[in-house]
PDB file of all heavy atoms in Angstrom:
ATOM      1  N   MET A   1       0.878  -1.169  -0.014  1.00  0.00           N
ATOM      2  CA  MET A   1      -0.021  -0.068  -0.029  1.00  0.00           C
ATOM      3  C   MET A   1       0.859   1.212  -0.012  1.00  0.00           C
ATOM      4  O   MET A   1       1.971   1.194   0.441  1.00  0.00           O
ATOM      5  CB  MET A   1      -0.924  -0.011   1.226  1.00  0.00           C
ATOM      6  CG  MET A   1      -1.932  -1.277   1.196  1.00  0.00           C
ATOM      7  SD  MET A   1      -3.190  -1.217   2.398  1.00  0.00           S
ATOM      8  CE  MET A   1      -4.245   0.007   1.601  1.00  0.00           C
ATOM      9  N   GLU A  15      15.449  24.431  -3.833  1.00  0.00           N
ATOM     10  CA  GLU A  15      14.284  23.686  -3.250  1.00  0.00           C
ATOM     11  C   GLU A  15      13.107  23.639  -4.282  1.00  0.00           C
ATOM     12  O   GLU A  15      13.009  24.519  -5.061  1.00  0.00           O
ATOM     13  CB  GLU A  15      13.799  24.314  -1.977  1.00  0.00           C
ATOM     14  CG  GLU A  15      13.355  25.707  -1.967  1.00  0.00           C
ATOM     15  CD  GLU A  15      13.054  26.348  -0.665  1.00  0.00           C
ATOM     16  OE1 GLU A  15      13.524  26.034   0.292  1.00  0.00           O
ATOM     17  OE2 GLU A  15      12.166  27.277  -0.740  1.00  0.00           O
ATOM     18  N   VAL A  62      21.380   1.511 -11.406  1.00  0.00           N
ATOM     19  CA  VAL A  62      21.588   2.731 -10.715  1.00  0.00           C
ATOM     20  C   VAL A  62      23.033   3.212 -10.828  1.00  0.00           C
ATOM     21  O   VAL A  62      23.900   2.641 -10.342  1.00  0.00           O
ATOM     22  CB  VAL A  62      21.230   2.558  -9.155  1.00  0.00           C
ATOM     23  CG1 VAL A  62      21.361   3.864  -8.383  1.00  0.00           C
ATOM     24  CG2 VAL A  62      19.853   2.033  -8.943  1.00  0.00           C
ATOM     25  N   ALA A  95      11.452   2.134   2.047  1.00  0.00           N
ATOM     26  CA  ALA A  95      11.522   1.573   3.436  1.00  0.00           C
ATOM     27  C   ALA A  95      12.732   1.922   4.211  1.00  0.00           C
ATOM     28  O   ALA A  95      12.660   2.207   5.410  1.00  0.00           O
ATOM     29  CB  ALA A  95      11.396   0.014   3.274  1.00  0.00           C
ATOM     30  N   THR A  97      14.489   4.740   4.121  1.00  0.00           N
ATOM     31  CA  THR A  97      14.287   6.047   4.737  1.00  0.00           C
ATOM     32  C   THR A  97      13.321   6.043   5.822  1.00  0.00           C
ATOM     33  O   THR A  97      13.454   6.668   6.886  1.00  0.00           O
ATOM     34  CB  THR A  97      13.826   7.026   3.604  1.00  0.00           C
ATOM     35  OG1 THR A  97      14.814   7.026   2.574  1.00  0.00           O
ATOM     36  CG2 THR A  97      13.586   8.366   4.162  1.00  0.00           C
ATOM     37  N   THR A 104       5.851   5.343   9.997  1.00  0.00           N
ATOM     38  CA  THR A 104       4.889   4.333   9.734  1.00  0.00           C
ATOM     39  C   THR A 104       3.811   4.849   8.792  1.00  0.00           C
ATOM     40  O   THR A 104       3.580   6.105   8.869  1.00  0.00           O
ATOM     41  CB  THR A 104       4.354   3.617  10.870  1.00  0.00           C
ATOM     42  OG1 THR A 104       3.658   4.622  11.735  1.00  0.00           O
ATOM     43  CG2 THR A 104       5.326   2.893  11.711  1.00  0.00           C
ATOM     44  N   VAL A 113       3.083   8.699   9.798  1.00  0.00           N
ATOM     45  CA  VAL A 113       3.203   8.885  11.255  1.00  0.00           C
ATOM     46  C   VAL A 113       4.607   8.811  11.595  1.00  0.00           C
ATOM     47  O   VAL A 113       5.344   7.859  11.187  1.00  0.00           O
ATOM     48  CB  VAL A 113       2.291   7.714  11.921  1.00  0.00           C
ATOM     49  CG1 VAL A 113       2.388   7.959  13.468  1.00  0.00           C
ATOM     50  CG2 VAL A 113       0.886   7.787  11.430  1.00  0.00           C
TER      51      VAL A 113
END
Side-chain angles (χ1 to χ4, degrees):
M1 299 193 73
E15 60 185 31
V62 179
T97 302
T104 57
V113 179

